[in-house]
Amino acid sequence: MTSALFVVSEEGYWAEECIEPLTTLEAEGVDVTIATPSGSPPVVDERSLDPDAAGGEERVAELREVDEEHPGLNDPEPIAHVAADGYDAVVFPGGHGTVWDVNQDRHARQLLLDAVAGDESVALVVCHAVGILAFTREADGTPLVEGRSVTGFPNAWEEDIVDDDDVMPDGRKLPYWVEDEVVLAGADWDAELDADTSVTVDGDLITGRGPGSSAAAAETLLEEM
């Protein structure tokens, strides 16, 4: 059976970026495993369940139902206990929460490295989770993203969220901006700001810009799998 591993933030995942790929893959018969840094259930960013952000009350109800009732989201594996081997895809949904946990976790970075390096697997990284590319290194120290074409959450959007001190509306200080760090690591960055959606494929690495690209990213992942 085709299988996928989702690495989801406990600090705040964006509902659409996780649930759209999750339900799309499961509808096609893909067996999905959920993992989080500590093995505790992931926490949804409530901002992603605002009707204006999610696309209406009906869509919010659908997303919240999956968040509350999906077995994997309620009983995930610790990422230290899973390996990319045996999975056809490893998926990193976004959300600001990833900058505090998933992107900084050595086990998560190893999962990404193994998924991209393997001959039979691919990785999908979306939105703020793209920041993990800035901190993932090959065995010789070369950044995984060096020379690769990627998209992700752009500075132009971040500046509309944080204040002049990089503090978010919930009071948390954002430690870095995704675009800055990924470009510094040598990526060929293009968030395609004039396009409705942005999904980039470079070998076994697929990146998606943000929530509005989630459906396109999920379909691209299915094609690449």
Side-chain angles (χ1 to χ4, degrees), residues 109-110 112-114 131-146 181-182 184-186:
R109 296 195 297 267
Q110 190 62 52
L112 173 61
L113 191 65
D114 292 344
I132 195 174
L133 296 172
F135 311 109
T136 303
R137 300 286 188 269
E138 304 278 5
D140 64 359
T142 303
L144 173 64
V145 77
E146 186 174 295
E181 296 297 330
V182 175
L184 188 62

Side-chain angles (χ1 to χ4, degrees), residues 15-216:
E16 185 175 2
E17 294 170 2
C18 177
I19 293 171
E20 181 69 30
L22 173 64
T23 55
T24 297
L25 265 60
E26 289 189 328
E28 294 296 325
V30 177
D31 182 45
V32 173
T33 298
I34 308 290
T36 62
S38 74
S40 296
V43 175
V44 68
D45 187 328
E46 286 295 327
R47 295 176 303 150
S48 68
L49 295 175
D50 182 282
D52 291 335
E57 295 285 357
E58 183 175 347
R59 181 56 173 159
V60 168
E62 293 171 354
L63 294 170
R64 194 175 290 280
E65 180 179 9
V66 176
D67 173 69
E68 294 176 351
E69 298 185 9
H70 191 280
L73 291 172
N74 280 278
D75 188 22
E77 299 285 338
I79 58 176
H81 295 179
V82 295
D85 292 349
Y87 291 100
D88 299 284
V90 179
V91 180
F92 296 80
H96 275 94
T98 60
V99 307
W100 289 286
D101 61 2
V102 171
N103 295 357
Q104 304 298 327
D105 193 294
R106 69 185 183 94
H107 293 103
R109 296 195 297 267
Q110 190 62 52
L111 286 169
L112 173 61
L113 191 65
D114 292 344
V116 174
D119 294 331
E120 300 180 357
S121 59
V122 297
L124 169 62
V125 192
V126 183
C127 196
H128 280 86
V130 172
I132 195 174
L133 296 172
F135 311 109
T136 303
R137 300 286 188 269
E138 304 278 5
D140 64 359
T142 303
L144 173 64
V145 77
E146 186 174 295
R148 289 182 179 268
S149 297
V150 301
T151 185
F153 197 82
N155 287 351
W157 293 4
E158 199 74 86
E159 64 187 16
D160 293 332
I161 297 173
V162 299
D163 66 13
D164 291 341
D165 298 321
D166 287 354
V167 176
M168 294 178 53
D170 63 8
R172 293 187 291 181
K173 169 70 164 58
L174 195 67
Y176 61 85
W177 290 27
V178 171
E179 180 178 342
D180 286 344
E181 296 297 330
V182 175
V183 169
L184 188 62
D188 179 8
W189 175 280
D190 185 1
E192 302 177 286
L193 293 178
D194 293 331
D196 291 337
T197 64
S198 178
V199 178
T200 300
V201 180
D202 188 315
D204 289 335
L205 176 64
I206 308 165
T207 48
R209 184 178 63 198
S213 299
S214 300

